[in-house]
Amino acid sequence: MTIQQVLSLLLLCMWLPHPCHTEMLFRRTPDLRPKSFGGRASGNDGKTIHRQKRGWMWNQFFLLEEYTGSDYQYVGKLHSDQDKGDGSLKYILSGDGAGTLFIIDEKTGDIHATRRIDREEKAFYTLRAQAINRRTLRPVEPESEFVIKIHDINDNEPTFPEKIYTASVPEMSVVGTSVVQVTATDADDPSYGNSARVIYSILQGQPYFSVEPETGIIRTALPNMNRENREQYQVVIQAKDMGGQMGGLSGTTTVNITLTDVNDNPPRFPQSTIHLRIPESSPVGTAIGSVKATDADTGINAEVEYRIIDGDGTDMFDIVTQKDTQEGIITVRKPLDYEMRRLYTLKVEAENTHVDPRFYYLGPFKDTTIVKISVEDVDEPPVFSRSSYLFEVHEDIELGTIIGTVMARDPDSASSPIRFSLDRHTDLDRIFNIHSGNGSIYTSKPLDREISQWHNLSVIAAEINNPKDTTRVPVYVRILDVNDNAPQFAVFYDTFVCENARAGQLIQTISAVDKDDPLGGQKFFFSLAAVNPNFTVQDNEDNTARILTRRNGFSRHEISTYLLPVVISDNDYPIQSSTGTLTIRVCACDSRGNMQSCNAEALLLPAGLSTGALVAILLCIIILLVIVVLFAALKRQRKKEPLILSKEDIRDNIVSYNDEGGGEEDTQAFDIGTLRNPAAIEDKKLRRDIIPETLFVPRRTPSAPDNTDVRDFINQRLKEHDTDPSAPPYDSLATYAYEGNDSIAESLSSLESGTTEGDQNYDYLREWGPRFNKLAEMYGGGESDKDTS
């Protein structure tokens, strides 16, 4: 038998009712009849004791975990008092692990565990036992439960939930300051023995930190641990079970501890004196340089505020703290001048903004340094004596008069001559000029306040030796008023007087304007240039006057318009006056004085029409008339153009074949009037080579009777066409040389046939030969027909 089996039996004996009995007895259930129990016993008093028959007697089975033997581990034995050892009973086991983890001998009731059991997986098993008759299969005992409890052994080491812990503690903390608590767990049974009792110890991190054995709280072990010396620490903590005794199991974890910063270091300047340089031309706000005090602390504990606490340049310079870099930026506060001062000394202080009162004993948390600023010389442009100039001058001064002088100097130690000039962009009309040497400004053109009251000039000053460096100054010239303009009517007045007006009647109120602007304000006086029998002027003494009639009744048929000269004067010196003429029309009015009609000119022209408008209207009318005349002339010229413009026009022509008598087939046009009898030319006939100016209405000729001779019909039609100038084609009547009055040729034109007297005899055509017989028949036959008819 192995040692573990012996230990198991010993443990079982501790829990059984009969310590030396390894069987489990069962109490009979109340619902079954009791059966006799076969044993007897004697008491101490010698009396015979009858043992009552019992059923199942239930207690817990105990089993050690992690059994390592080669045989099945014996758990215990089930036995019924009905078992007579003849094999008639059968023991049955059911429940957790029955048949797999736990098996039972059907005949003897011995229970064995088939494999190792881990209490951390399952601490106890609940099973049910029953005894039945093997032959009848009826239970001889009721089914009951029992528990197999696993006894713990120290087979699990303590474990930490985190392999690595991170913690922090402020630097300079007192000894015993809590940093962090670590806790390890042990899977063993805490209620059985010391297997789960854990004790903590520190393996690494001494002498800086310590750990409480029971709680695992890590605390500081050294005073005044300084972050600036060492910031990171690694501490290894061990957790051991069995109360830390020899043979216990253990586990470890690592704790990374960081010392956090506290303000235990004052700022310090690395240098006691700092030198800076800046040109004198640097404008206000220019950064000269920076100073920085170092602080071993970090974050808000290292924040520093800079300020100038002393020195001869406190009013010339400022210092600003740059938060992101913790630097002090020194800037120019006022303009610098090398010629005035070349060196400034400042005392700058740097102080922590967040001071921890616990560390006051370490000294003041501030430091000072000396900053020396050297001003460097720069070739500066000229400087005017003023920032701007204002000159006032009267508008009537003579040309070349000096209105003012500007002054400038070279601020450098080596003074250079100055040259002045005007910016012509500010004086485009070149009204002013300036002396380049002394800066005197004078007029070069007449001044007129009424055109421009102010002139804004810009004067440029430059060094002769360095003309690139220039300075500008504004010069404002105000033109003062002089009474050089006479007052005039304020508006154009369209004045009328009614024919039925009475003496003293108001017909117009007039006012005046003046371009001048006297200091005391405008004051005008009104009067007539000469005594007028019809009208008078009454001054209202408020720069207005009234025009009144001096007699009763006016007649527009006698005089339709009156001209009234009015003299307007001002009261400034010298007095200026002008004469304005009022045009007063005479109009017909109703009983209330409302104008009804004036003369013809007044009716045609709208009231209030200016002279310029009238001239424009007249010019338009004249231009329209000229256009109409030109159009009519062009149209008339177009009407007189000949319509026969080419040789294709249909008309009687004589074709020239360079011989006489070309006949009517001649296509070269010329006037056949040259062959006429000179007597016929004297007849005045209309020209037919141009369109007649007067078109005659065509006359309807009555149709000739049927018995009318063809010749008469033709002659009649020929005469009608000869006398009708509107019917084309038009014969050209031109003058050519002709043979004379006694020419035997006479006219060959058929157009003149209507003018011959009497009928012609064409019998002679028969005598010309057979080729003229047809022609003779045409003319001769006509007469024969006529005679026969």
Side-chain angles (χ1 to χ4, degrees):
M1 183 178 292
T2 63
I3 296 176
Q4 280 188 333
Q5 289 175 336
V6 172
L7 290 174
S8 299
L9 290 174
L10 290 175
L11 290 173
L12 286 172
C13 290
M14 292 172 62
W15 291 94
L16 289 175
H18 303 281
C20 296
H21 201 288
T22 58
E23 296 179 357
M24 294 299 295
L25 301 180
F26 300 95
R27 182 182 306 157
R28 185 182 297 275
T29 55
D31 56 339
L32 296 177
R33 291 182 298 170
K35 295 182 180 180
S36 62
F37 191 77
R40 291 175 179 266
S42 297
N44 295 330
D45 54 0
K47 295 181 179 181
T48 302
I49 300 174
H50 295 276
R51 186 172 56 186
Q52 296 291 331
K53 291 191 292 185
R54 296 176 298 173
W56 300 99
M57 220 28 216
W58 290 112
N59 284 304
Q60 290 181 342
F61 285 104
F62 291 92
L63 184 65
L64 288 175
E65 65 172 337
E66 302 296 340
Y67 171 72
T68 59
S70 58
D71 297 331
Y72 289 163
Q73 184 179 6
Y74 183 73
V75 178
K77 184 179 182 65
L78 297 178
H79 185 72
S80 175
D81 54 1
Q82 299 294 323
D83 188 0
K84 298 178 179 180
D86 55 0
S88 61
L89 295 182
K90 179 180 179 180
Y91 295 96
I92 299 174
L93 186 66
S94 63
D96 292 342
T100 56
L101 178 59
F102 300 104
I103 59 175
I104 188 170
D105 189 337
E106 296 179 353
K107 295 180 179 181
T108 63
D110 293 328
I111 302 173
H112 291 82
T114 61
R115 59 178 174 83
R116 295 171 56 185
I117 298 176
D118 190 357
R119 190 201 65 85
E120 286 70 38
E121 292 182 2
K122 194 174 181 67
F124 62 91
Y125 295 86
T126 303
L127 293 95
R128 292 181 299 276
Q130 190 176 34
I132 63 174
N133 190 293
R134 189 182 295 274
R135 291 189 298 271
T136 63
L137 299 179
R138 290 185 177 182
V140 296
E141 298 287 352
E143 185 180 57
S144 299
E145 287 185 351
F146 66 95
V147 175
I148 299 177
K149 189 173 183 180
I150 310 301
H151 271 299
D152 183 47
I153 65 173
N154 190 18
D155 60 344
N156 291 280
E157 71 276 2
T159 59
F160 291 92
E162 299 289 341
K163 291 294 183 181
I164 297 178
Y165 288 85
T166 301
S168 62
V169 64
E171 63 173 334
M172 306 299 289
S173 297
V174 297
V175 175
T177 302
S178 175
V179 179
V180 68
Q181 182 179 14
V182 294
T183 302
T185 59
D186 196 321
D188 293 326
D189 189 0
S191 63
Y192 180 74
N194 292 328
S195 299
R197 183 186 175 195
V198 178
I199 298 298
Y200 300 95
S201 62
I202 185 167
L203 300 182
Q204 177 183 328
Q206 295 175 333
Y208 307 103
F209 299 94
S210 63
V211 62
E212 292 183 356
E214 300 291 337
T215 62
I217 298 176
I218 301 174
R219 300 182 183 274
T220 58
L222 284 181
N224 300 327
M225 284 192 296
N226 197 339
R227 183 197 65 85
E228 288 73 32
N229 296 331
R230 184 177 176 181
E231 186 176 3
Q232 298 289 337
Y233 294 86
Q234 190 175 71
V235 179
V236 178
I237 303 296
Q238 182 190 60
K240 191 174 183 180
D241 58 12
M242 299 297 292
Q245 298 177 6
M246 185 71 68
L249 302 178
S250 64
T252 61
T253 187
T254 300
V255 181
N256 293 326
I257 301 175
T258 303
L259 295 184
T260 58
D261 185 59
V262 296
N263 192 8
D264 59 340
N265 294 280
R268 292 289 180 262
F269 283 105
Q271 298 174 345
S272 60
T273 304
I274 301 173
H275 294 272
L276 299 175
R277 294 180 178 274
I278 185 170
E280 62 173 334
S281 60
S282 300
V284 174
T286 302
I288 304 173
S290 63
V291 296
K292 185 175 183 179
T294 59
D295 194 326
D297 298 322
T298 60
I300 62 172
N301 297 319
E303 290 183 0
V304 179
E305 186 72 26
Y306 297 90
R307 57 179 173 270
I308 300 173
I309 60 175
D310 198 4
D312 53 10
T314 55
D315 60 336
M316 299 295 295
F317 303 96
D318 280 329
I319 189 168
V320 180
T321 303
Q322 196 77 19
K323 294 297 183 181
D324 53 347
T325 61
Q326 290 299 309
E327 292 180 336
I329 309 299
I330 300 176
T331 59
V332 179
R333 185 176 181 181
K334 291 183 179 180
L336 303 174
D337 192 348
Y338 173 82
E339 287 71 28
M340 297 293 294
R341 187 160 192 167
R342 304 180 182 182
L343 180 65
Y344 294 91
T345 302
L346 304 176
K347 187 176 183 180
V348 178
E349 180 185 72
E351 182 179 11
N352 280 139
T353 56
H354 299 84
V355 180
D356 193 337
R358 296 177 299 170
F359 304 104
Y360 278 156
Y361 67 92
L362 296 177
F365 284 80
K366 56 186 175 181
D367 193 17
T368 59
T369 187
I370 301 299
V371 179
K372 293 185 177 182
I373 301 175
S374 298
V375 180
E376 298 178 344
D377 188 25
V378 175
D379 189 7
E380 301 175 85
V383 177
F384 284 95
S385 60
R386 302 179 188 175
S387 59
S388 63
Y389 292 86
L390 173 63
F391 300 135
E392 294 183 346
V393 60
H394 288 87
E395 61 179 327
D396 60 344
I397 62 172
E398 297 180 357
L399 295 181
T401 302
I402 296 176
I403 64 172
T405 302
V406 298
M407 292 182 292
R409 63 177 182 85
D410 184 6
D412 298 322
S413 56
S415 180
S416 175
I418 306 299
R419 182 182 299 276
F420 299 93
S421 62
L422 275 177
D423 186 355
R424 288 304 174 184
H425 292 90
T426 61
D427 185 26
L428 297 176
D429 296 331
R430 296 183 176 270
I431 299 176
F432 301 95
N433 212 335
I434 189 171
H435 290 289
S436 61
N438 57 18
S440 298
I441 302 175
Y442 59 93
T443 60
S444 59
K445 288 184 179 180
L447 303 177
D448 191 347
R449 189 200 68 87
E450 286 70 38
I451 296 178
S452 180
Q453 187 176 356
W454 286 91
H455 296 274
N456 300 326
L457 309 177
S458 180
V459 177
I460 304 172
E463 297 180 11
I464 295 179
N465 298 332
N466 188 12
K468 293 183 179 180
D469 290 336
T470 61
T471 305
R472 294 171 176 265
V473 67
V475 177
Y476 306 105
V477 182
R478 181 182 181 182
I479 309 301
L480 301 179
D481 186 43
V482 174
N483 192 25
D484 57 348
N485 292 278
Q488 296 178 348
F489 282 133
V491 295
F492 174 79
Y493 294 102
D494 183 17
T495 307
F496 70 93
V497 62
C498 296
E499 290 183 312
N500 56 356
R502 297 183 178 276
Q505 184 174 344
L506 174 65
I507 63 173
Q508 184 70 59
T509 300
I510 59 176
S511 62
V513 293
D514 194 336
K515 295 181 181 179
D516 296 322
D517 187 16
L519 296 177
Q522 298 285 3
K523 180 64 177 177
F524 302 125
F525 303 96
F526 301 89
S527 62
L528 292 180
V531 178
N532 191 295
N534 302 309
F535 306 97
T536 184
V537 174
Q538 183 177 354
D539 197 332
N540 296 329
E541 297 183 357
D542 60 353
N543 292 340
T544 62
R546 298 185 296 171
I547 306 299
L548 305 175
T549 57
R550 296 189 63 182
R551 64 183 181 87
N552 297 328
F554 293 86
S555 175
R556 59 174 173 167
H557 299 291
E558 296 178 359
I559 300 177
S560 61
T561 303
Y562 292 91
L563 300 178
L564 183 64
V566 179
V567 178
I568 310 173
S569 305
D570 57 22
N571 66 336
D572 203 0
Y573 180 83
I575 295 176
Q576 301 286 341
S577 63
S578 66
T579 301
T581 301
L582 285 177
T583 301
I584 304 174
R585 295 179 296 152
V586 181
C587 302
C589 303
D590 56 13
S591 59
R592 296 182 179 180
N594 297 322
M595 182 182 66
Q596 292 181 337
S597 64
C598 298
N599 50 43
E601 181 181 358
L603 294 176
L604 291 175
L605 297 177
L609 212 56
S610 62
T611 305
L614 294 175
V615 172
I617 293 173
L618 291 177
L619 288 176
C620 292
I621 294 174
I622 292 173
I623 292 172
L624 290 175
L625 291 175
V626 170
I627 292 173
V628 171
V629 171
L630 291 175
F631 182 76
L634 291 175
K635 186 173 182 182
R636 181 180 181 86
Q637 183 177 0
R638 188 178 302 160
K639 286 181 179 181
K640 292 184 179 181
E641 290 180 355
L643 293 181
I644 303 174
L645 300 177
S646 65
K647 292 186 289 184
E648 286 76 14
D649 292 335
I650 303 173
R651 59 189 231 175
D652 289 337
N653 295 328
I654 296 179
V655 181
S656 174
Y657 292 97
N658 294 327
D659 58 348
E660 269 188 281
E664 291 183 356
E665 294 181 359
D666 190 356
T667 59
Q668 184 173 354
F670 63 90
D671 195 356
I672 63 174
T674 56
L675 302 179
R676 294 180 179 177
N677 193 334
I681 300 176
E682 295 177 359
D683 295 339
K684 293 183 179 180
K685 296 182 178 180
L686 296 174
R687 291 188 60 177
R688 301 179 65 189
D689 59 335
I690 62 174
I691 300 174
E693 295 180 1
T694 303
L695 297 178
F696 297 94
V697 180
R699 292 170 295 182
R700 303 293 296 177
T701 305
S703 58
D706 296 338
N707 57 357
T708 303
D709 186 32
V710 174
R711 184 188 309 173
D712 295 336
F713 176 81
I714 293 174
N715 289 335
Q716 185 179 358
R717 290 290 185 268
L718 180 61
K719 185 175 181 180
E720 290 176 358
H721 284 286
D722 288 339
T723 58
D724 186 5
S726 62
Y730 310 113
D731 284 343
S732 297
L733 182 61
T735 302
Y736 294 91
Y738 55 89
E739 292 181 2
N741 294 332
D742 295 333
S743 176
I744 61 175
E746 296 182 353
S747 177
L748 297 179
S749 175
S750 63
L751 300 179
E752 292 294 327
S753 60
T755 61
T756 58
E757 297 179 358
D759 297 331
Q760 295 184 9
N761 187 7
Y762 296 98
D763 293 337
Y764 62 91
L765 295 176
R766 299 181 185 274
E767 299 176 358
W768 287 4
R771 285 182 292 181
F772 293 91
N773 291 335
K774 187 64 175 178
L775 183 61
E777 290 176 0
M778 292 175 61
Y779 287 91
E783 290 193 340
S784 63
D785 295 338
K786 183 180 179 182
D787 294 338
T788 57
S789 62

